[in-house]
Amino acid sequence: MANNIILIASVLTALGVIITTAIKIYKFIRKWEKWVEEQSEHALDNYLSIKRLTIMSHEMPLSERIAAGEKYIKYGGNGEVKHKYEELLTFLPNENKINI
């Protein structure tokens, strides 16, 4: 009888350890996923900021500004910078005529 009680107690203890470990692993994975998502979001924000600066910079060549505008819009950029990109597109044919 005592052996059965000890066996049941050891099985319950083992199950408790397994469940606790599984919960800790789950929480760690969820925390890691949130961190990765946050880092991806920050990277996209930085990427869009760089493209925004390139589009708005008058010192950059028009072709680079337009290429940056295409990528900016592709990744969800809009607003005043998008309008500036559309304005730059109107200058593109004029620049090509001057270079010919």
Side-chain angles (χ1 to χ4, degrees), residues 3-38:
N3 287 337
N4 289 339
I5 293 174
I6 293 174
L7 179 63
I8 292 171
S10 62
V11 168
L12 291 176
T13 302
L15 286 174
V17 169
I18 291 170
I19 290 172
T20 303
T21 304
I23 290 171
K24 286 184 180 185
I25 291 172
Y26 174 78
K27 286 181 180 181
F28 173 77
I29 291 172
R30 290 297 301 152
K31 187 176 178 181
W32 179 262
E33 286 176 343
K34 288 180 184 178
W35 182 82
V36 168
E37 289 173 5
E38 185 177 302

Side-chain angles (χ1 to χ4, degrees), residues 62 66 70 84-94:
L62 183 60
I66 289 175
E70 290 170 358
K84 182 66 174 179
Y85 164 71
E86 292 169 351
E87 180 183 318
L88 292 174
L89 289 177
T90 62
F91 294 126
L92 185 61
N94 295 336

